Amino acid sequence: MGWPRPDPLDEAYLLLAYRSGRWGTRSPLVEEFEREFARYHDAKHGIAVTSGTAGLMLAYLAAGLRPGDKVAVPAYTFIATASAAVIWRGVPVFVDVDPQTLNMDPADLERVIEKHKDVKLIVPVHFAGIPAEMDEITKIAGERGASVIEDAAQAHGSAYRGRKVGAIGDAGSFSFQLSKLMAAGEGGIVVTNRDDVHEVVWSLHHVGRRPGGEWYEHPRLGWNFRMTEFQAAVLLSQLRRLDKTLSTLRRNWRVVVEGLERVDGIEVLEPPKHVDWNCYFTYIKIPEAVERGVELKLRFVKAVRERGVSLVEGYVEPLYRQLALRDPYWGLPGELYEGLRLKCTEEACSSVAWLPHYELLTDSEARLERIVAAVREAAGEVLN
Ligand SMILES: Cc1ncc(COP(=O)(O)O)c(C=O)c1O
């Protein structure tokens, strides 16, 4: 997929880590990265971990998730948002999404919470790097005494009403998996402004140790979810150029979207004006596929890809239809998901494809024109 791209500064940092001989276990570049990433994201603390999934798992536990608690998640998200709760025997309950942002719809969250009064955690996902409606979501959570954990796996550098995402709620988790805007192969970080959450997540990711404690002293049960020095090395380098990456993405996004707006049969879903987003995915909607079904979207995506542009089909089924949730081992109440149909989620699955950020990260105007041309040609072939 041509991502991540090699960079001389990444190489220099990697060599620094290699030569230091300090390759893991709370090593210097890991601690520097935690401080700098947290500061960049308007957060007091950062705890670097092995993946975005691990970050969610630890943040949920630190926020007080206990067996049987309900966790409100959007139905249009990666399974980790829900499975990170199920592993602690939490019970995901699904919220429909806003048709424009495909993020948790606060109005539907109200409905879900009215029905499931025991929701303990609310997990907005800043999907595609577009910040969720945090003002409304944190207000609802406050009224119900629920915690808010942000799934910011895709949202490096995104901001909601001028404030970077991640630590607007109680805590948030970012991913550095291969396809992300900041990528270390694998990796993640939990950010928070809460000292108590920081202390617990730090301990959980470090085998239950306590800051300043003895090596073989474990006041709580924890696991090894620590990031290595090599991951921190490339991530520090990528963080140094994140502003530049974002400004290239946002500029090129505008160019591509102006072209796509003239293509018949598709619609670009533009994020609202009060957010700064990182263009992780540009949503291209095929409105006709809402009626005609997902096959039309798949044919359109194939036609674009045949023209050398890596459009992604995205989700084709809502999360609540994944077989994993029916595995009896996890004991989830089947009636919560059986026959569930959330309108905007269903429509997004049928009709929305994703143009990834790495397609927009180019210095070549000709390449941007090629993206628009590929979409236009595919639309002409498949949609008319
Ligand atoms: C929305 C969302 N949540 C969670 C994750 C999990 O992150 P990771 O793959 O680093 O475990 C991902 C990443 O793939 C994601 O896209």
Side-chain angles (χ1 to χ4, degrees):
M1 68 178 166
W3 186 262
R5 306 212 174 117
D7 183 278
L9 190 63
D10 293 2
E11 283 183 32
Y13 267 93
L14 272 172
L15 207 54
L16 191 71
Y18 180 71
R19 288 187 177 146
S20 76
R22 303 247 350 238
W23 292 356
T25 313
R26 308 277 331 139
S27 40
L29 294 181
V30 167
E31 295 195 348
E32 189 179 339
F33 175 65
E34 289 177 336
R35 279 193 303 277
E36 293 210 9
F37 189 89
R39 188 167 55 228
Y40 186 92
H41 285 86
D42 299 328
K44 192 168 167 194
H45 305 288
I47 309 105
V49 293
T50 48
S51 69
T53 307
L56 289 173
M57 285 166 53
L58 302 189
Y60 291 175
L61 201 57
L65 181 66
R66 296 295 172 261
D69 286 343
K70 300 232 171 83
V71 181
V73 300
Y76 192 84
T77 182
F78 186 58
I79 193 166
T81 318
S83 63
V86 176
I87 201 158
W88 308 126
R89 304 278 168 181
V91 179
V93 287
F94 291 103
V95 181
D96 205 359
V97 292
D98 175 282
Q100 202 65 24
T101 60
L102 309 189
N103 281 331
M104 177 180 272
D105 174 7
D108 200 57
L109 175 64
E110 291 264 26
R111 178 192 64 80
V112 167
I113 291 201
E114 204 45 54
K115 191 166 162 203
H116 304 286
K117 296 206 165 43
D118 48 348
V119 165
K120 173 90 184 191
L121 272 187
I122 299 171
V123 189
V125 180
H126 305 304
F127 204 83
I130 303 169
E133 277 307 333
M134 292 307 292
D135 279 353
E136 286 163 84
I137 292 168
T138 49
K139 181 166 175 284
I140 295 167
E143 286 162 4
R144 306 294 180 136
S147 300
V148 175
I149 301 297
E150 295 167 58
D151 184 344
Q154 304 180 358
H156 319 81
S158 294
Y160 176 76
R161 296 192 192 281
R163 193 169 159 200
K164 292 275 179 6
V165 299
I168 298 173
D170 294 270
S173 170
F174 291 81
S175 165
F176 304 119
Q177 173 268 344
L178 197 64
S179 71
K180 301 301 186 285
L181 204 55
M182 291 179 64
E186 301 289 353
I189 191 167
V190 176
V191 295
T192 180
N193 283 312
R194 281 183 52 179
D195 295 341
D196 57 340
V197 169
H198 169 243
E199 201 257 308
V200 176
V201 172
W202 189 94
S203 176
L204 292 172
H205 99 296
H206 198 20
V207 208
R209 297 191 172 99
R210 68 177 175 83
E214 297 299 326
W215 189 250
Y216 291 118
E217 180 196 350
H218 305 277
R220 63 164 59 80
L221 204 63
W223 300 269
N224 176 0
F225 283 126
R226 296 180 302 255
M227 179 181 276
T228 69
E229 192 76 337
F230 297 114
Q231 291 162 295
V234 278
L235 291 169
L236 261 174
S237 168
Q238 292 172 16
L239 187 60
R240 305 252 187 274
R241 62 173 182 275
L242 183 57
D243 280 338
K244 188 164 170 283
T245 306
L246 289 171
S247 89
T248 307
L249 277 170
R250 289 169 182 157
R251 189 185 59 237
N252 289 353
W253 179 81
R254 183 46 63 202
V255 173
V256 167
V257 167
E258 277 170 12
L260 293 180
E261 275 165 355
R262 292 193 290 275
V263 176
D264 287 338
I266 64 150
E267 197 185 313
V268 177
L269 304 184
E270 293 203 24
K273 296 277 178 275
H274 59 273
V275 303
D276 292 324
W277 69 304
N278 66 7
C279 310
Y280 182 69
F281 289 130
T282 301
Y283 295 138
I284 297 183
K285 181 172 176 176
I286 302 104
E288 216 182 314
V290 172
E291 292 306 321
R292 288 178 56 191
V294 70
E295 285 308 318
L296 185 65
K297 170 172 91 166
L298 297 179
R299 279 203 286 131
F300 172 74
V301 168
K302 183 163 173 282
V304 174
R305 294 179 74 91
E306 280 167 0
R307 288 165 171 84
V309 172
S310 24
L311 190 66
V312 180
E313 68 269 32
Y315 304 131
V316 295
E317 288 279 14
L319 199 44
Y320 46 77
R321 275 206 287 280
Q322 289 285 348
L323 276 181
L325 296 176
R326 284 164 182 70
D327 181 344
Y329 178 83
W330 299 106
L332 294 168
E335 69 276 9
L336 281 181
Y337 315 123
E338 218 55 64
L340 188 61
R341 282 191 73 79
L342 298 173
K343 182 172 179 291
C344 295
T345 301
E346 300 276 344
E347 291 189 4
C349 289
S350 305
S351 67
V352 177
W354 308 334
L355 181 69
H357 60 95
Y358 44 83
E359 282 290 357
L360 297 176
L361 266 182
T362 174
D363 295 331
S364 160
E365 293 297 317
R367 177 65 195 160
L368 300 178
E369 282 168 20
R370 186 64 219 133
I371 293 171
V372 175
V375 173
R376 186 185 307 108
E377 288 162 22
E381 179 185 296
V382 175
L383 305 179
N384 296 324

